[in-house]
Amino acid sequence: MRLKISDVTMRYGKLTALQGVHSSADGGKVIAVLGPNASGKTTLLRTIAGLTTPSKGRVELDGVRVDKMTPHDRASKISWVPRIAEVSGAFTIRTVVELGRYAIGPSESRVTDALRQVELLDRSESLWHGASAGMRQRAAMARALAQRTPGGMLVLDEPSSALDMHHLKSMGEMLKQCASEGDIVIAALHDISFAMEIADAVIVLKEGRIVLDGQTNAVLTPSSLGGIYGVDLNWAVDEAGKRHLVIA
Amino acid sequence: MKIRTTATIVFLLLLLFAGIALRLLIARQVDGSITLAIPEQEFVLYRVVPLISALIVGAGLGVSGMGLQVLLRNSLASPWILGLSSGAGLGVMATMYFEHTYGATFVGSESGGAILGAVGTLSLVYILSRRRTGIDPMTMVLVGVVVSVLCGAGIMVLQHAVPMGLRGSFTTWLMGSLPEVESWWKLGTLGGATVFGIALISWWGPTLDAACLSDDEATSVGVNLPRIRTRLFLVSSILAAIGVMLAGPIAFVGLIAPHGARLFLGGSHRSLTIATAIMGACLLVFADDIRQIVDIGSGRLPIGIVTSVIGGVVFLGLLLRNRGRV
């Protein structure tokens, strides 16, 4: 599967959220989308997932425009994990995860597997409204896992913002696992260390434009990121000899 | 169907049958005493017609409310939030005004005026709430409130323009009442349309479940949001308009019946629709039972007053229960 983003511009009235964005990605990779607040990360991800139509340009998956796909086709190829999952009915966590199979047909085993992967199987009959932010984020991940077709695309908007260290680590492993099964995995992240840990490539946005795009190790350096975020960064080396970007 | 769902629907049906039996048997004597007896044949129709009307109006309003609560993502939404009641009221008032001023109603009767007002208001709300991507729920609530206020102003203008006697007739219509005499053709047509509308919404149940997610999430799992919202708006509005046509503005049934059903069944809309329809019918049948019993010295109370009293108390309870979330 190949994702191609061609000259995407998104305007909301006078506000330009994205300006002339070009990029591409192949299956089997985890791509982190980074950037300061209001740099256009969520808008880019929503455009990639076909949830909104760009003012100009196009996003194609294997040559098909994602915003022109039928709801069924889109649901079978693209799974979405929001930053904050919202449900307005009196549903259990299991029911919310089952909704991931709405268009592509029920599958008890896929739902159970997904709940097990995010460690919510024993809480699956709890009501959604009683769930913590972290549980909701894991449930949204489980819904995407239950929905995804291996070899498709998984789009995640800050999927780890409410997770503890244990679940952050297992989230990273799940994303890498999906990529190893041929998925294109694209996630907006604020945690640079986490991005360096899981991402094969990064796209860095600033004020709606791509300012860095390439292999993670080549792109993420103190000098390149420091200017974008407006902070002084340094390398720090941990006990295992791994390098981390830290604020100087 | 799960055991809990079946048990709930059987329980609600038994409750409904109890209410129906009570309505058929209950009688107020001339001295004011209440008796339970099989009615004489000549009086049977006067109990059966309001009973059938109560079933149609209660079930329809309940499911209409449920549909709008999903559409507007607001658990306190009801058919009246879209200006239906005030629109119908304006239609009735305009009918009375034209009859008084020009000697002609142009729409046949007060029912015709109510339907015209309700449909006109809903069409306006629909048109003004449409965006490029379909109906916007928040805009729809705001437009509904504004259109309600405008219709209310129109009613006051017309009330000012007609003689005092007509104002009394309008006030009576506003209280809502179940007809004791109605043509079988009309009851059959409206009843059939109500059953069809309820069946449609129940059929769409899985889509309604998925539409309870946020817009992005619902779209990402494959829901065609603009289409389901338009369908829900149309069917919910027609069900509520049928209620207005038969019984005038009956408040709170559309708000409370879905919540009552959810207490038993949770959020799955296929079975919830059926349970809500029975719950709505129960509410109206029991409200009609209560009005046969209660007499505050001025005869039987209009059913709209009974539902308002019951509904007001339950509504406050809901607000207090949900004050952290609403």
Side-chain angles (χ1 to χ4, degrees):
Chain A
M1 184 159 280
R2 181 168 178 78
L3 171 72
K4 191 175 176 197
I5 304 165
S6 310
D7 194 23
V8 166
T9 295
M10 178 63 89
R11 293 190 191 91
Y12 299 106
K14 290 179 180 173
L15 175 76
T16 301
L18 290 175
Q19 179 73 55
V21 172
H22 288 273
S23 194
S24 61
D26 291 310
K29 302 267 192 249
V30 177
I31 296 136
V33 178
L34 308 175
N37 294 146
S39 56
K41 298 186 295 295
T42 298
T43 305
L44 177 61
L45 292 186
R46 291 184 72 241
T47 312
I48 288 171
L51 302 174
T52 184
T53 303
S55 313
K56 187 183 157 207
R58 57 175 59 194
V59 176
E60 293 166 323
L61 206 53
D62 281 344
V64 180
R65 278 184 66 157
V66 293
D67 56 328
K68 300 291 183 196
M69 286 179 178
T70 63
H72 176 275
D73 277 355
R74 194 164 49 228
S76 63
K77 288 176 181 157
I78 306 170
S79 309
W80 165 257
V81 179
R83 188 170 60 85
I84 298 170
E86 293 172 26
V87 180
S88 62
F91 294 108
T92 62
I93 287 174
R94 185 179 191 93
T95 310
V96 172
V97 175
E98 284 169 349
L99 292 176
R101 305 288 308 178
Y102 163 76
I104 43 186
S107 170
E108 192 85 5
S109 60
R110 288 288 303 272
V111 169
T112 302
D113 284 349
L115 282 164
R116 188 179 292 116
Q117 277 185 272
V118 301
E119 298 175 38
L120 278 177
L121 194 54
D122 58 336
R123 305 290 298 271
S124 61
E125 296 305 322
S126 305
L127 278 177
W128 175 266
H129 286 303
S132 69
M135 284 169 71
R136 290 181 183 193
Q137 213 158 39
R138 282 148 57 201
M141 181 66 193
R143 189 177 63 216
L145 291 174
Q147 178 187 349
R148 72 178 266 271
T149 307
M153 184 161 69
L154 187 56
V155 186
L156 310 96
D157 186 12
E158 297 182 34
S160 57
S161 56
L163 298 184
D164 59 40
M165 283 190 284
H166 168 76
H167 291 110
L168 183 67
K169 184 170 183 290
S170 76
M171 167 75 75
E173 284 164 4
M174 278 183 267
L175 298 185
K176 285 198 273 192
Q177 174 66 27
C178 290
S180 73
E181 292 172 13
D183 287 13
I184 301 171
V185 178
I186 302 183
L189 299 170
H190 274 301
D191 186 335
I192 306 289
S193 297
F194 184 55
M196 291 179 74
E197 181 75 31
I198 66 161
D200 300 295
V202 292
I203 294 171
V204 184
L205 290 165
K206 187 177 184 185
E207 294 171 359
R209 295 172 188 273
I210 291 184
V211 286
L212 295 171
D213 186 358
Q215 296 296 311
T216 307
N217 291 336
V219 166
L220 296 187
T221 63
S223 58
S224 65
L225 275 191
I228 292 165
Y229 283 92
V231 288
D232 292 328
L233 294 172
N234 272 333
W235 287 118
V237 181
D238 67 17
E239 290 174 352
K242 287 170 71 174
R243 294 195 308 172
H244 300 271
L245 279 168
V246 293
I247 296 175
Chain B
M1 199 180 278
K2 289 178 184 171
I3 294 171
R4 184 178 174 179
T5 306
T6 312
T8 300
I9 288 177
V10 168
F11 169 72
L12 288 174
L13 280 174
L14 289 174
L15 200 65
L16 181 61
F17 289 141
I20 290 171
L22 201 59
R23 179 64 184 93
L24 287 173
L25 299 177
I26 204 164
R28 174 184 291 280
Q29 304 302 319
V30 180
D31 62 0
S33 61
I34 305 296
T35 59
L36 286 176
I38 294 171
E40 291 171 32
Q41 197 167 359
E42 60 188 305
F43 295 118
V44 169
L45 271 184
Y46 294 108
R47 298 187 190 183
V48 170
V49 169
L51 196 50
I52 292 172
S53 303
L55 295 175
I56 295 170
V57 174
L61 285 180
V63 173
S64 170
M66 189 201 77
L68 292 171
Q69 285 169 12
V70 174
L71 170 68
L72 302 173
R73 291 224 178 90
N74 186 337
S75 60
L76 298 180
S78 77
W80 315 130
I81 206 168
L82 301 180
L84 188 102
S85 176
S86 47
L90 181 61
V92 169
M93 198 65 226
T95 309
M96 290 176 176
Y97 172 78
F98 282 121
E99 190 167 26
H100 167 73
T101 311
Y102 302 106
T105 63
F106 302 107
V107 288
S109 63
E110 289 172 14
S111 285
I115 283 292
L116 202 66
V119 171
T121 308
L122 290 171
S123 304
L124 188 65
V125 170
Y126 178 77
I127 290 164
L128 294 177
S129 309
R130 271 188 69 81
R131 294 287 176 270
R132 191 169 57 89
T133 51
I135 295 171
D136 175 49
M138 182 56 79
T139 308
M140 181 166 268
V141 171
L142 293 173
V143 170
V145 169
V146 172
V147 169
S148 275
V149 170
L150 288 174
C151 288
I155 288 171
M156 283 191 278
V157 169
L158 290 174
Q159 272 188 313
H160 188 71
V162 298
M164 194 67 84
L166 276 182
R167 291 176 206 176
S169 305
F170 178 67
T171 307
T172 305
W173 181 86
L174 269 184
M175 290 176 185
S177 59
L178 293 171
E180 292 192 335
V181 179
E182 195 58 271
S183 77
W184 288 112
W185 182 87
K186 186 173 174 182
L187 284 179
T189 308
L190 297 182
T194 300
V195 170
F196 184 63
I198 292 169
L200 269 181
I201 290 187
S202 178
W203 178 253
W204 298 331
T207 309
L208 266 61
D209 293 346
C212 286
L213 300 171
S214 68
D215 283 9
D216 280 352
E217 292 170 85
T219 305
S220 74
V221 299
V223 178
N224 187 334
L225 273 181
R227 187 169 71 186
I228 189 63
R229 281 183 176 154
T230 302
R231 286 176 172 181
L232 263 185
F233 174 81
L234 287 175
V235 177
S236 299
S237 301
I238 289 169
L239 289 175
I242 287 171
V244 172
M245 194 170 176
L246 265 179
I250 303 287
F252 287 111
V253 175
L255 175 67
I256 291 160
H259 284 286
R262 274 192 204 102
L263 285 178
F264 293 104
L265 285 184
S268 179
H269 286 89
R270 182 157 281 174
S271 48
L272 189 65
T273 307
I274 307 299
T276 299
I278 304 171
M279 182 70 87
C282 275
L283 275 171
L284 219 57
V285 168
F286 276 103
D288 200 23
D289 291 340
I290 289 170
R291 67 185 278 273
Q292 308 305 320
I293 298 166
V294 176
D295 182 359
I296 56 170
S298 57
R300 287 179 298 177
L301 290 167
I303 194 163
I305 293 179
V306 181
T307 61
S308 293
V309 171
I310 298 171
V313 173
V314 177
F315 185 77
L316 274 178
L318 280 174
L319 272 178
L320 291 174
R321 187 173 161 230
N322 294 323
R323 60 186 157 185
R325 281 187 274 156
V326 177

